Amino acid sequence: MFPAFAEVPAYPLVFAVFWGAAAYFALAMARHLRIFAAARAAGPSPFSSIPARTLGLVRYAFIQTKMFKDWRAGLMHFGIFWGFVLLTIGTANAVTGGIIQAILSAPFDGFIWAAISAMQNVVAVIVLGAILWAFERRLISKPERLTYSRDGLLILAMIGGLVAAEFFAQVFEIAAFGDVPGAFIASFLATPLGGVDHGLLAAAFGILWWTHKVIVAAFLLHLPGSKHLHVATAFFNVYFRKLAPRGELPVMDLEAEDATFGLRTLQDLGWKDMLDGFTCTECGRCQEACPAWNTGKPLNPKHFIMGIREMSVEAEHGLNLIPNSPLVRETYGLDDTVHADRLAKPIVDDAIPFDAVWDCVTCGACVEACPVLIEHVDKIVGLRRNLVLEDSRFPTELNGAFRNMEGVGNPWGQPPASRLDWTKGLPFEVPLVADVAARGELAQLDVLYWVGCAAAFDERNRKVARAFATCLDAAGISFAVLGQEESCTGDPARRMGNDYVYQMLATSNIETLNRYRMGEKTIVTACPHCFNSIGVEYAQLGGRFRVVHHSAFLKELLADGRLRVVDGDGGSRRSVTLHDSCYMARYSGVVAEPRDVLGAVPGLELVEMEKNGKNTFCCGAGGGRMWMEETRGTRINASRTDQALATGAGTVATECPFCMTMLKDGLEAAADANPGGEVRAIDIAELLAESLDPIQPARFSGRELPILQ
Amino acid sequence: MHIVVLTKPVPDPAAAAERLGPDMRLDRAASPAVVNGNDEYALEAALKLVEAHGGEVTLLTMAPPSGADTMRKALAMGATRGVLVTDPALAGSCVRSTDEVLAAALRELTFDLVFSGFDTSDGTAGVVGAAIAARLGLPYLSNAARIEPDPAAGRVRVRRITPTGYDVLEAPMPALVVCTQVLGEPRYPSLKGIMSARSKEIASRSLADLGLDGGTVGGAAATTEVLDSRKPPPRGATTVVRGTAEEGAAAIVTLLASRRLI
């Protein structure tokens, strides 16, 4: 009846074994979905952005680009994944009575099936090699990021076992019953078995063939409760990934009646957040990249996501595999819906400790590192929102920052009247937008320079503002600032969970910018956090503005020949390393621009840190950490300073006022590694301004430049 | 337990924009108003007590009508309602008028305790609490670092900070307590608190409502007059000392010695 499996003892049993296990698998997965159904927050729509989502599936699930950031592990995983997929053709054929083989053998005289068999032979050897490699990692070399559990070893043993059983079953099949077309490696291995007793060979074949099927069935039974679930969920998690810009936090309706503000319990999550939990495979790439975890803080992004998964599993505990029908529920009073009290458990202090919620710098290194596109940061900010807006539970230092932002429009609590102090003594005028508008000259304005609170109030960063304004003036750019009409964009408030203060500041800034029709102009800023708020996030509140980071703007000015630097004397070169801002490099992909600016400065030689570009390591000030004490673990800025000093560079270039403050402090504190504070943090605009030619192209400016500092 | 907390809108010290107008009265348009910082400590102490013992907190303010906006911020922290004494005749009131008006407003209210902050960041007189206690004949418990009411016994015990330590005082309620910052950081209002504050009752009282006469209190009857007001000279250049603790200490000693300060 099944010619392809005529030699398999008790072949028809395979339908019961496999399809029984498959049915259990389907029901157990459906049970996970019942938790998803309890999610109150919306998830992504399956019908939107289908081309982008499909492309993502190809890129991240099938080509697995993120996995290759660790290319050794990536290669191993790629081998196991594709091997597993290709070998599944054989398994699928075996559990369907050989129908696939029958169909594919029909044309070309069985050539297609023979080719598949040949390929499967090769793949089996590759997978076995990769499995051995994986065992080596789990048992011998033991990279720190992995979670070591029996489950991990069991899964490897199962995959290795089933591939080996299937492969060697074929070896004995060939030895006992004659050649299998295409299975050249198995044939080769079967040659020495030529003289062995036929009965023995047939028995070995039968045992191994069944071993393979039993392991496959066991795998299906084990998978729904295993950390290896990602083989089923990763495709969906990748497909439904966050498509909004990295720096855009979920929108929040503060007027919603009876709503929970932010994330409190499992139910406040969206189903995609729960899927994140069921997709995590504890590979630990997030923890390896996390600046908080790397400096000994309690925050571990992997533990957080696994914690959400554990809460979900706990919530579905006791649910029947097959849900009771409404009739059974009513007739016998057998309510088997998800326990409300299990869903009502707060996430904070269950999936993640309270302190860890506040350790996050929102740098997005975890999100960038995750091969299956789990979103950690949005959830952590969601938890902060609930703690701040409902419970007023947050590190006490934030009290002042919140009040200052709300009261005087900047987290430092500086008087707004001093917003223009940085312009004092500059040899050119820094006009106010209000004055330009009053003169009716807004049309002639090239750009609005959004100064930002740090550059307006912080002594060190004021110098950056002066240098950048000098570049603008030298290039003959007609620019203006808002002065006292500018206030904090609200980024720190938003990242610290205070969307109330954020929306208050954002709404007022949008009003101001719209009053001067800045939606039609370019806004340039040297602050990546202002850049992200105004350029990316204000759109949620109806403010659409084109914002350019000063690195990109200066690059353009240089490329257009509007700025001229002095000729290098060709002499000794100064080495400089660039600290990428998380919000520019990782959030917005601005990586080349600051390097282009540095490349234009004569005599500078760029030495990269190991973690640069999109893999940059946070300075420690993001996510509102600028206004919190760093009491747990060691200091993040000290860690980054060490990385910068390890390059041997004489200067650390920055492109963000917060990074500037953190690295300046770090470099000054690194007494041993940086004697005399010789290595300093300098903004790219300052490095450029220092080397501007005193005589700029006359058609633009024609004025002699001031000597800075 | 009912506690009345005296709260005053003051110019936000962080804005550093406080100034007097040509009439030598506070230019209220020049600076955003906030709840006086020390009053927030008093309010926090009151909120903690009603959370523990049950009851309500009423805010009492004497201010122009705009004082209601500032009062909402204090209501957002959790106070139950507010009473705003406002009357055009009150503009330019001196301390004596202020305490007379507030005392009159308190006579209309039932309470176990009245809390006042240590002083206000704009006027800094620091006597309104004491004057009200005197006018109403209330026990006066100043500089409180701890407040322990016993509602059943109708008594309150206060730990009062002294220059050398503290005294423990006890008085029958109702009583007036002057609160200090030792009582604990004021809470940050939750969003729900902010939302519910929008609809909380703020009762407005004029001088006539309180049975007072504009001729005897308020600007017309001010006993003091502001003649001049000046800002302190700006701070001189800052010297930053860097290095190890020992080096830093040595540098500071040298600096102080050079100024003949040690």
Side-chain angles (χ1 to χ4, degrees):
Chain A
M1 192 171 165
F2 302 105
F5 302 103
E7 290 90 7
V8 178
Y11 173 73
L13 259 184
V14 82
F15 298 116
V17 171
F18 175 81
W19 291 108
Y24 172 85
F25 176 77
L27 288 169
M29 293 302 280
R31 185 163 52 186
H32 290 324
L33 288 179
R34 291 173 72 189
I35 294 296
F36 288 19
R40 281 201 217 107
S45 156
F47 306 112
S48 68
S49 321
I50 291 173
R53 294 193 178 283
T54 310
L55 273 178
L57 195 64
V58 172
R59 186 170 163 199
Y60 299 113
F62 295 118
I63 309 178
Q64 305 179 355
T65 49
K66 293 238 176 197
M67 288 296 291
F68 285 96
K69 285 195 164 199
D70 176 351
W71 69 269
R72 287 189 185 88
L75 207 60
M76 177 197 79
H77 185 270
F78 194 78
I80 296 179
F81 170 79
W82 277 107
F84 201 78
V85 168
L86 293 172
L87 292 174
T88 298
I89 302 174
T91 310
N93 186 54
V95 299
T96 53
I99 191 166
I100 299 174
Q101 182 178 357
I103 294 169
L104 291 180
S105 297
F108 310 117
D109 198 22
F111 176 76
I112 298 178
W113 189 252
I116 289 175
S117 297
M119 184 187 65
Q120 286 187 328
N121 262 216
V122 175
V123 157
V125 174
I126 291 174
V127 172
L128 287 174
I131 292 285
L132 283 180
W133 191 353
F135 267 118
E136 187 280 328
R137 283 164 58 83
R138 292 202 155 260
L139 295 174
I140 299 164
S141 61
K142 295 199 172 193
E144 201 190 320
R145 64 177 166 85
L146 296 182
T147 300
Y148 292 90
S149 61
R150 266 194 301 189
D151 191 32
L153 293 172
L154 181 66
I155 289 287
L156 279 181
M158 277 185 166
I159 299 175
L162 68 87
V163 172
E166 189 183 31
F167 179 69
F168 286 103
Q170 196 174 46
V171 172
F172 284 99
E173 182 187 7
I174 291 168
F177 308 107
D179 203 25
V180 172
F184 68 100
I185 301 176
S187 293
F188 175 73
L189 291 178
T191 331
L193 298 173
V196 182
D197 173 59
H198 175 81
L200 207 60
L201 291 173
F205 163 68
I207 290 168
L208 286 169
W209 193 94
W210 271 108
T211 306
H212 171 239
K213 304 305 172 289
V214 167
I215 297 178
V216 167
F219 196 67
L220 286 171
L221 298 181
H222 180 68
L223 205 51
S226 154
K227 73 161 202 162
H228 206 62
L229 194 55
H230 81 290
V231 296
T233 51
F235 302 104
F236 298 97
N237 210 54
V238 165
Y239 186 80
F240 289 111
R241 74 191 197 278
K242 177 179 177 182
L243 288 178
R246 187 77 57 84
E248 186 185 314
L249 288 171
V251 68
M252 212 181 167
D253 178 9
L254 295 174
E255 301 292 327
E257 301 271 329
D258 300 326
T260 312
F261 296 113
L263 303 178
R264 187 179 202 86
T265 67
L266 213 48
Q267 273 191 293
D268 301 321
L269 296 168
W271 61 262
K272 169 65 172 68
D273 299 307
M274 298 183 183
L275 184 60
D276 275 354
F278 282 107
T279 308
C280 179
T281 318
E282 299 181 304
C283 78
R285 282 169 170 78
C286 52
Q287 96 176 30
E288 194 177 48
C290 177
W293 179 256
N294 271 287
T295 50
K297 298 179 177 51
L299 173 61
N300 182 320
K302 175 175 79 175
H303 294 169
F304 171 43
I305 298 299
M306 284 308 287
I308 286 182
R309 177 200 196 127
E310 277 152 27
M311 287 184 77
S312 309
V313 170
E314 198 184 321
E316 64 181 63
H317 184 76
L319 286 187
N320 293 343
L321 198 56
I322 302 171
N324 291 340
S325 71
L327 187 71
V328 169
R329 259 181 233 160
E330 277 165 35
T331 317
Y332 301 104
L334 289 175
D335 185 18
D336 68 340
T337 46
V338 182
H339 277 275
D341 56 324
R342 292 209 175 115
L343 289 173
K345 270 174 82 180
I347 296 172
V348 173
D349 287 332
D350 192 324
I352 182 170
F354 175 79
D355 282 346
V357 174
W358 297 101
D359 283 334
C360 178
V361 288
T362 69
C363 74
C366 48
V367 180
E368 177 68 25
C370 183
V372 290
L373 309 185
I374 288 168
E375 199 63 49
H376 315 68
V377 176
D378 289 3
K379 282 190 260 297
I380 291 179
V381 174
L383 295 174
R384 290 181 177 182
R385 283 174 172 177
N386 188 259
L387 291 171
V388 170
L389 298 176
E390 292 204 348
D391 295 353
S392 298
R393 266 180 84 202
F394 47 78
T396 48
E397 311 92 87
L398 292 185
N399 215 315
F402 287 155
R403 282 165 188 265
N404 288 333
M405 278 187 275
E406 191 177 339
V408 289
N410 71 82
W412 276 273
Q414 292 294 311
S418 57
R419 268 205 187 262
L420 284 174
D421 284 4
W422 67 273
T423 62
K424 281 182 188 159
L426 281 176
F428 50 86
E429 188 210 1
V430 176
L432 284 173
V433 177
D435 295 341
V436 177
R439 291 196 299 266
E441 291 170 3
L442 271 184
Q444 283 92 292
L445 198 66
D446 293 326
V447 294
L448 166 73
Y449 171 28
W450 184 277
V451 182
C453 305
F457 300 120
D458 175 65
E459 205 56 57
R460 177 65 188 88
N461 280 300
R462 280 178 178 167
K463 291 182 179 168
V464 179
R466 292 161 69 84
F468 180 58
T470 298
C471 292
L472 292 176
D473 177 67
I477 297 291
S478 159
F479 72 100
V481 298
L482 283 167
Q484 284 201 52
E485 286 187 279
E486 187 182 299
S487 79
C488 172
T489 62
D491 165 81
R494 185 159 226 218
R495 262 71 206 168
M496 293 187 279
N498 198 334
D499 233 52
Y500 173 72
V501 166
Y502 162 73
Q503 291 191 21
M504 196 158 90
L505 292 166
T507 313
S508 131
N509 281 327
I510 292 169
E511 258 175 45
T512 306
L513 290 169
N514 281 339
R515 193 164 61 243
Y516 298 118
R517 305 172 72 88
M518 284 302 155
E520 299 158 18
K521 297 271 178 199
T522 294
I523 300 170
V524 58
T525 181
C527 174
H529 297 264
C530 298
F531 170 91
N532 186 65
S533 293
I534 306 172
V536 177
E537 295 198 292
Y538 278 10
Q540 284 178 341
L541 300 170
R544 285 168 209 285
F545 305 102
R546 187 177 118 76
V547 187
V548 178
H549 186 230
H550 74 322
S551 63
F553 198 76
L554 291 174
K555 179 205 151 174
E556 286 299 314
L557 292 181
L558 288 161
D560 292 351
R562 294 188 69 145
L563 274 181
R564 196 157 66 197
V565 294
V566 289
D567 292 331
D569 54 5
S572 64
R573 289 169 77 79
R574 291 194 288 159
S575 60
V576 58
T577 189
L578 175 71
H579 166 73
D580 287 280
S581 133
C582 305
Y583 277 52
M584 287 327 298
R586 197 147 40 222
Y587 275 42
S588 294
V590 175
V591 172
E593 290 83 346
R595 286 170 175 78
D596 289 339
V597 174
L598 291 178
V601 177
L604 276 193
E605 189 174 10
L606 181 64
V607 231
E608 293 284 7
M609 286 184 255
E610 189 194 325
K611 296 190 173 201
N612 66 65
K614 285 195 160 191
N615 296 320
T616 188
F617 188 89
C618 181
C619 68
R625 291 279 342 161
M626 182 84 181
W627 291 276
M628 290 182 239
E629 298 294 335
E630 196 171 342
T631 49
R632 294 176 285 277
T634 57
R635 298 186 62 89
I636 294 177
N637 68 333
S639 173
R640 187 53 166 170
T641 301
D642 291 345
Q643 297 170 34
L645 289 172
T647 63
T651 299
V652 181
T654 58
E655 52 167 348
C656 165
F658 295 164
C659 300
M660 163 61 83
T661 300
M662 298 309 276
L663 289 170
K664 172 182 172 280
D665 290 353
L667 287 166
E668 284 171 2
D672 293 338
N674 184 24
E678 237 161 69
V679 180
R680 291 192 305 141
I682 305 182
D683 190 271
I684 53 167
E686 295 178 293
L687 287 165
L688 180 62
E690 281 168 5
S691 59
L692 286 179
D693 195 324
I695 310 296
Q696 289 292 317
R699 63 199 153 105
F700 296 125
S701 162
R703 183 196 308 145
E704 292 233 341
L705 283 173
I707 308 228
L708 285 163
Q709 299 175 27
Chain B
M1 203 167 64
H2 280 68
I3 305 176
V4 176
V5 181
L6 308 179
T7 52
K8 182 184 184 187
V10 295
D12 189 345
E18 179 181 345
R19 65 164 187 236
L20 300 183
D23 57 357
M24 293 315 251
R25 290 173 185 173
L26 183 64
D27 180 355
R28 292 184 193 268
S31 173
V34 293
V35 180
N36 176 48
N38 282 333
D39 298 348
E40 286 190 321
Y41 283 86
L43 174 55
E44 176 64 33
L47 292 171
K48 282 205 189 100
L49 288 178
V50 297
E51 278 160 11
H53 299 279
E56 290 178 340
V57 174
T58 302
L59 306 172
L60 176 58
T61 295
M62 179 183 116
S66 65
D69 296 335
T70 320
M71 195 180 250
R72 297 264 175 229
K73 294 181 185 174
L75 287 170
M77 285 173 68
T80 316
R81 73 178 71 76
V83 175
L84 175 66
V85 182
T86 185
D87 197 300
L90 285 172
S93 290
C94 65
V95 174
R96 189 200 60 77
S97 281
T98 306
D99 59 63
E100 188 175 342
V101 170
L102 290 174
L106 279 168
R107 282 196 188 95
E108 288 193 335
L109 302 171
T110 44
F111 54 83
D112 301 296
L113 291 167
V114 180
F115 285 4
S116 87
F118 185 78
D119 64 4
T120 54
S121 58
D122 57 349
T124 63
V127 296
V128 168
I132 290 172
R135 283 184 190 274
L136 297 180
L138 297 172
Y140 174 67
L141 307 159
S142 62
N143 291 355
R146 187 185 289 176
I147 306 166
E148 294 165 318
D150 183 348
R155 298 185 74 79
V156 61
R157 191 176 279 198
V158 161
R159 184 179 281 197
R160 178 174 68 182
I161 304 173
T162 69
T164 50
Y166 59 83
D167 303 328
V168 178
L169 308 176
E170 198 179 274
M173 295 199 283
L176 187 141
V177 183
V178 177
C179 301
T180 66
Q181 298 192 356
V182 182
L183 287 161
E185 281 280 314
R187 68 193 59 191
Y188 189 79
S190 70
L191 188 57
K192 292 216 162 111
I194 294 168
M195 298 293 177
S196 66
R198 290 178 186 169
S199 55
K200 281 181 180 169
E201 178 203 349
I202 296 182
S204 193
R205 287 279 180 281
S206 66
L207 281 182
D209 293 336
L210 297 178
L212 294 172
D213 173 12
T216 55
V217 293
T223 51
T224 52
E225 188 185 355
V226 179
L227 298 178
D228 196 6
S229 164
R230 296 192 185 192
K231 280 194 188 331
R235 245 184 356 183
T238 310
T239 307
V240 179
V241 178
R242 295 191 197 284
T244 63
E246 289 77 15
E247 290 163 8
I252 291 169
V253 166
T254 313
L255 181 79
L256 292 176
S258 73
R259 304 261 170 100
R260 296 181 178 279
L261 290 166
I262 51 172

